[in-house]
Amino acid sequence: MMSLLLVGLFLFFIMAGIPIAFSLGLSSLIYLLIAGIPLTIIPQTMLSGINSFVLLAIPAFILAGNLMNAGGITTRIIDFANAVVGHIRGGLALTNVASSLGFAGISGTALSDTASIGSVMIPAMKKQGYGAGFSAAVTSISSTVGPMLPPSLPMIIIGTLASVSIGDLFLAGAIPGILLAVGFLVVTYIISVKRGYPKGERQPIKKVVTSFFGAFWALFMVFIILWGILGGYFTPTEAAVVCVLYALVVGGFVYRELHFKEVPGLLVSTLRSTSSILLLVGFANLFGWILVSEGVPVLIANGILSITENPILVILLIILLLLVIGMFMETIAALVILFPVLLPVATSVGMDPVHFGVVMVLSLMIGLSTPPVGVCLFVASSFAKVPIGKTVKELVPFFAIAIVVLLVVAYIPQLSLFLPSLFE
């Protein structure tokens, strides 16, 4: 009964427009007061949730992404993507998706992808005659590819929660992420052909090569991350710090667009992003602790397994639950609360923890573009100056292909586990 009160309060606060982190905190506080549990448990539980060396990688990766973006990386990635696919029908829309694939190795978050790519691509697409809703839809949904590829903040969270190798998680998300991007490219091309969207001129090979070398130093950062972690040269946290130094050198001395007077402002921006993430993790950890104390994980596990013990159906039920949760809850909060709850259920039907981590991240990423709490959906729509409903309508075929990719990844484990197995 008390657990229903907790969840009910949380949903009420969300519908009242209170941010997810504070909704988690307020509902937990009221529960503790009613249950008579000492409030000293709040700082203790929140601290235990964020007191992790691995989580230090989050601010470092965010700072590295900010530095690379300020150093001119966004335009170079877009130029390279446009040189490769811009001559195809719907070339600018295809460039949008391809740019998100390249930008994934820089930011590690879908929201920064939406903001960085969208601020450049959406106005350009509208100017060339693409529909505003379609422009927002392509930008929003393609940004969900980013957290599937390294450096991925959701994967870092999962590695912390389950004591799973973050290097393995980074590798495991690569093939599913590429499949997702390819699916979005196919849908974008089909719609562009059907609507007769414009195409650009084919670029000479020299232009393609030149644009590749322009984006090379940014894309090379992904190699540094994987080489360092998988080679045992440094931990994920140390890899993030190395990336910060790398970003300073590339932005300041290679691209020469990063002015060091901008660095203090970027540090402040990084601190804001980091503090909001860690506050969210802390409150989500408190919320999750209450759920565990109420026995909710056992109830959920027993509930799912009481419906069926067939592995195929259990996985499908988990996916359906995650898709619904993703519509209402921020990704990191959902991971902190639900991953420890659902992992035993997943492993009981034979899912590897790394594979399940990829499936969970992919499921929740789709929620970033779904109402009512899809942050990427709102940001892209605001750039396009178009109503949310119009963007959602354009997103329907992209949702369909995302679900297909999700099911393929869920039921073919080797798509996730193949690359990690090469480095065992």
Side-chain angles (χ1 to χ4, degrees):
M1 189 68 178
M2 289 292 286
S3 59
L4 291 177
L5 172 65
L6 177 71
V7 175
L9 286 169
F10 171 64
L11 294 176
F12 170 77
F13 288 134
I14 287 180
M15 289 186 290
I18 297 175
I20 296 289
F22 294 110
S23 296
L24 291 168
L26 285 171
S27 56
S28 300
L29 174 62
I30 294 173
Y31 169 91
L32 294 174
L33 290 172
I34 295 175
I37 298 175
L39 297 185
T40 52
I41 196 67
I42 296 177
Q44 292 172 0
T45 308
M46 290 182 66
L47 180 61
S48 68
I50 62 177
N51 186 23
S52 169
F53 178 72
V54 175
L55 290 182
L56 288 175
I58 292 178
F61 276 130
I62 292 175
L63 178 57
N66 287 340
L67 290 169
M68 293 293 276
N69 194 33
I73 179 55
T74 302
T75 54
R76 284 173 171 81
I77 289 179
I78 291 175
D79 286 345
F80 174 53
N82 190 50
V84 175
V85 299
H87 63 281
I88 305 172
R89 177 67 62 185
L92 208 55
L94 295 173
T95 298
N96 195 327
V97 179
S99 298
S100 292
L101 185 61
F103 198 78
I106 306 304
S107 66
T109 63
L111 184 57
S112 60
D113 186 331
T114 304
S116 299
I117 301 295
S119 62
V120 177
M121 293 301 302
I122 290 178
M125 289 178 67
K126 290 174 65 178
K127 187 175 181 179
Q128 285 200 12
Y130 292 85
F134 179 73
S135 302
V138 171
T139 304
S140 172
I141 198 68
S142 63
S143 66
T144 60
V145 174
M148 299 301 300
L149 305 174
S152 166
L153 299 191
M155 296 299 186
I156 293 173
I157 296 292
I158 287 177
T160 305
L161 291 172
S163 299
V164 176
S165 167
I166 293 176
D168 286 350
L169 287 166
F170 281 175
L171 286 174
I175 293 178
I178 292 172
L179 285 176
L180 194 63
V182 170
F184 293 154
L185 286 169
V186 171
V187 173
T188 300
Y189 175 73
I190 292 173
I191 293 175
S192 297
V193 170
K194 183 178 178 181
R195 298 181 182 177
Y197 284 142
K199 60 180 179 179
E201 297 181 0
R202 182 182 294 274
Q203 300 294 329
I205 295 297
K206 182 179 179 180
K207 169 66 175 175
V208 176
V209 173
T210 302
S211 62
F212 167 74
F213 282 109
F216 171 79
W217 292 106
L219 302 176
F220 189 68
M221 194 165 81
V222 179
F223 172 78
I224 293 176
I225 295 168
L226 292 177
W227 170 77
I229 295 175
L230 298 175
Y233 298 105
F234 33 71
T235 65
T237 302
E238 292 164 346
V241 175
V242 169
C243 286
V244 170
L245 297 175
Y246 178 83
L248 283 169
V249 172
V250 171
F253 300 103
V254 179
Y255 292 154
R256 296 184 179 181
E257 291 189 24
L258 175 63
H259 304 292
F260 287 97
K261 64 181 180 181
E262 300 177 77
V263 173
L266 296 175
L267 287 171
V268 172
S269 175
T270 300
L271 287 173
R272 287 175 179 165
S273 299
T274 303
S275 60
S276 63
I277 291 174
L278 293 183
L279 184 66
L280 181 59
V281 170
F283 279 134
N285 198 63
L286 173 63
F287 192 90
W289 178 86
I290 295 174
L291 290 179
V292 171
S293 66
E294 284 286 326
V296 173
V298 176
L299 291 176
I300 293 177
N302 291 340
I304 293 176
L305 295 176
S306 67
I307 297 174
T308 179
E309 293 186 6
N310 184 306
I312 295 176
L313 295 179
V314 169
I315 293 172
L316 183 60
L317 288 173
I318 291 175
I319 288 174
L320 290 174
L321 174 63
L322 292 173
L323 288 174
V324 172
I325 292 295
M327 295 173 64
F328 297 94
M329 189 177 292
E330 201 277 342
T331 302
I332 292 177
L335 286 173
V336 175
I337 294 170
L338 292 177
F339 189 81
V341 172
L342 296 176
L343 181 59
V345 182
T347 54
S348 71
V349 295
M351 289 188 80
D352 183 273
V354 172
H355 176 217
F356 176 63
V358 171
V359 171
M360 187 165 186
V361 171
L362 181 52
S363 301
L364 294 174
M365 284 303 102
I366 296 173
L368 293 175
S369 293
T370 57
V373 192
V375 290
C376 293
L377 170 65
F378 285 96
V379 170
S381 296
S382 66
F383 277 127
K385 298 178 182 178
V386 66
I388 298 294
K390 194 169 184 179
T391 304
V392 172
K393 184 178 178 181
E394 295 281 4
L395 278 167
V396 171
F398 293 98
F399 286 146
I401 197 66
I403 297 298
V404 170
V405 172
L406 173 59
L407 293 174
V408 169
V409 170
Y411 291 114
I412 306 179
Q414 281 306 308
L415 289 175
S416 303
L417 301 178
F418 172 69
L419 289 180
S421 68
L422 298 178
F423 291 88
E424 291 181 351

